Every structure is written in C-alpha cells, then in structure tokens.
C-alpha cells in the first residue's frame, strides 16, 4: 500500500492536522479528515468558538479533498474514512466525502451524540456530521491483540493491514490507527500525546506548553496509562513501529518527507 501524509489543518503553536491517505486495491482510505471545505467557508457554523482556541488557519488548499485532487485522484474514490475520534479538528471534512463509509469506535460515537457539558459541546460539533454519514461502528470484541494492546481487526471493507487500537483518555472512545506498510508499522496515535519527545525511548519529556495543552486529558487515568504504554512500545519495538501523533509538526515533516 502507498501512504500519503497530509496536513489537513495548520493551527497555533505550529500544530498540524496529520491525516493519512492510503491507497488500497479497492480504493482510497483516509485516516481522519482534518478541516473540510465547509469549515473554511462557514467556520462559525461548522466549528463554533473552539476554532479560536485552536488558532485554526482554515486554508482551502489544506483540506483533504483539495489535496487528494492535487494528487490526481477523484475524491469519490475515498471509499472509507477511519477516525481516531470525533473532535472538531479531526472530523471537519466528513461532508466532503458523503459516500464514504466512516469507521468510528462505538464508545466515541455514543459520547459525541450524547455530549453533556460545555466542553463536550464545544469539542463535538454535530454540524460536521449533519449530512448523515454512513457510520460503521467498531467495538472491542474478543481477544485480538497488537503488540500487547487490545485491537479491533477485520474492519469491514478494509484490508487486514489496517486496524484500530483503542487508546482511551483524550476522549471516551479515542483510538489509534495502525497500518502495516510492508516495511514496518505506522501507528497514528491521534491525540494520545502531542509531540514526539513525550514518547522518546531514551529521554521522555513533555514541554510545559504541551503539559498545559494536555491538562484536561491528564485528569484521565486511561490517558496517562496509554501514554506510558506508548512510550514502552517505542522502547521495545521502535525498529518495527513508527508512532506519531496528530499535531506534531516535526513528525509530520519527517514522515511526509519520506513520501
């Protein structure tokens, strides 16, 4: 499989919105969508006030649909979208691919559709899925594992090289997406951490600014434990697995440069 690394939304603090476009035998698979055309054209309706705290740049040329066209593909060939979670900066482009099957972890979709409290209503912008996507939920069922993590394999319509790895904490149903490239694994860890130094196998460190960004997530025991487990995964299997997060500009530059 050929994999393209896309930045689908520049933000404050040099943050990127790291999405994957995966070529498979049956069509294109997108991992997260970043911001979409409607976010650029009507940010108040599609993103609400949270767009200000993120410092979203909202450039049409950075949307996944425009980048896919720029690569010479038809956006209609995006048959499947796999979401790490439904935060507004990860699901903002769903409407640009109305015919795609959207794979979302069951606990995440349930949390988004029953959002309570101000923070959850800000993070989950239901306008982004008002077009009624073709949801296909996945759940933890059985004893499938991936390098010691529980995993959801055999996602309908997707090749076996793509699987979901629950990494709860940032949201109730937050997951990572693992891809077997044939030359090793990629683990898109979503917002399970922010920058690579947090899971550095030798000198792990979370700079102060990112500690502040993660302050709410750090209240979750699951978040803390999963970040520690990702650090141990990097130590034990760094030669086999490339672990990266959604918003780390250095990891994006490195991985996009490989393409």
């Amino acid at each position: 499989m050929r994999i393209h690394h896309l930045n689908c939304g520049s933000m404050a603090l040099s943050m990127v919105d790291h999405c994957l476009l995966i070529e498979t035998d049956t069509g294109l698979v997108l991992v997260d969508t970043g911001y979409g055309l409607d976010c650029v054209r009507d940010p108040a309706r599609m993103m609400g006030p949270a767009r200000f705290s993120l410092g979203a740049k909202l450039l049409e040329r950075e949307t996944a649909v425009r980048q896919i066209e720029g690569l010479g593909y038809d956006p209609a060939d995006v048959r499947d979208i796999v979401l790490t979670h439904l935060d507004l900066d990860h699901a903002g482009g769903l409407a640009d691919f109305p015919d795609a099957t959207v794979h979302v972890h069951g606990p995440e979709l349930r949390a988004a559709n029953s959002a309570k409290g101000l923070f959850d209503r800000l993070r989950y912008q239901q306008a982004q899925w008002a077009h009624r996507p073709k949801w296909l939920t996945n759940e933890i069922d059985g004893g499938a594992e991936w390098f010691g993590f529980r995993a959801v394999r055999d996602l309908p319509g997707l090749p076996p090289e793509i699987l979901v790895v629950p990494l709860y904490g940032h949201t109730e149903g937050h997951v990572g997406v693992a891809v077997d490239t044939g030359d090793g694994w990629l683990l898109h860890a979503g917002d399970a951490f922010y920058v690579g130094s947090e899971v550095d196998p030798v000198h792990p460190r979370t700079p102060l600014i990112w500690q502040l960004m993660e302050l709410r997530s750090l209240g979750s025991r699951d978040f803390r434990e999963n970040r520690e487990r990702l650090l141990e995964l990097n130590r034990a299997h760094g030669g086999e697995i490339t672990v990266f997060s959604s918003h780390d500009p250095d990891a994006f530059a490195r991985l996009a440069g490989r393409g």
Side-chain angles (χ1 to χ4, degrees), residues 139-182:
E139 308 279 353
I140 285 292
D141 185 19
E145 286 199 355
W146 178 81
F147 291 93
F149 286 77
R150 299 179 76 189
V152 182
R153 296 181 180 268
D154 302 321
L155 297 168
L158 294 179
E161 292 84 2
I162 301 174
L163 54 93
V164 162
V165 180
L167 297 171
Y168 302 152
H170 178 71
T171 64
E172 287 187 35
H174 181 279
V175 300
V177 180
V179 183
D180 185 353
T181 70

Side-chain angles (χ1 to χ4, degrees), residues 10-11 20 30-31 43 56-57 83 85 194 199 222:
S10 297
M11 291 172 275
L20 302 179
L30 190 60
V31 177
K57 309 299 182 187
L83 294 175
H85 59 304
Y194 276 86
V199 294
D222 285 338

Side-chain angles (χ1 to χ4, degrees), residues 179-241:
V179 183
D180 185 353
T181 70
D183 294 317
W185 286 90
L186 293 177
L187 177 61
H188 188 313
D191 288 0
F193 62 94
Y194 276 86
V195 289
S197 64
E198 297 181 74
V199 294
D200 183 276
V202 181
H203 299 296
R205 183 177 69 89
T206 304
L208 178 60
I209 187 62
W210 300 111
Q211 292 180 39
L212 296 174
M213 290 288 288
E214 292 176 353
L215 198 56
R216 185 177 179 86
S217 295
L218 285 169
S220 164
R221 179 178 176 180
D222 285 338
F223 178 86
R224 299 192 304 271
E225 289 182 349
N226 279 321
R227 189 173 65 178
E228 185 63 28
R229 293 178 71 210
L230 290 170
L231 170 59
E232 293 304 321
L233 179 72
N234 221 10
R235 283 175 173 156
H237 299 285
E240 304 166 72
I241 307 168

Side-chain angles (χ1 to χ4, degrees), residues 46-68:
M46 296 298 291
M47 300 175 61
R51 68 191 187 277
F52 299 116
S53 61
L54 291 167
K57 309 299 182 187
L58 300 177
L59 305 172
E60 183 166 332
R61 61 181 168 79
E62 287 190 343
T63 61
V65 67
R66 292 292 182 248
Q67 293 190 66
I68 288 168

Side-chain angles (χ1 to χ4, degrees), residues 83-158:
L83 294 175
T84 61
H85 59 304
L86 279 162
D87 271 356
L88 65 103
D89 52 328
H90 295 259
L94 287 176
D96 294 333
F97 308 94
D99 296 321
T101 296
V102 181
H103 301 261
V104 61
H105 200 44
E108 182 67 5
L109 185 59
R110 292 189 288 273
N113 282 332
S114 61
K116 301 181 181 73
L118 177 61
F119 184 81
D120 281 351
R121 289 197 296 271
L122 288 172
R123 79 184 318 169
Y124 294 129
Q125 292 293 313
Q126 296 195 13
Q128 295 182 347
W129 53 89
H131 63 289
R132 297 185 178 180
K134 298 176 182 177
W135 299 116
L136 187 57
T137 58
N138 54 75
E139 308 279 353
I140 285 292
D141 185 19
E145 286 199 355
W146 178 81
F147 291 93
F149 286 77
R150 299 179 76 189
V152 182
R153 296 181 180 268
D154 302 321
L155 297 168
L158 294 179

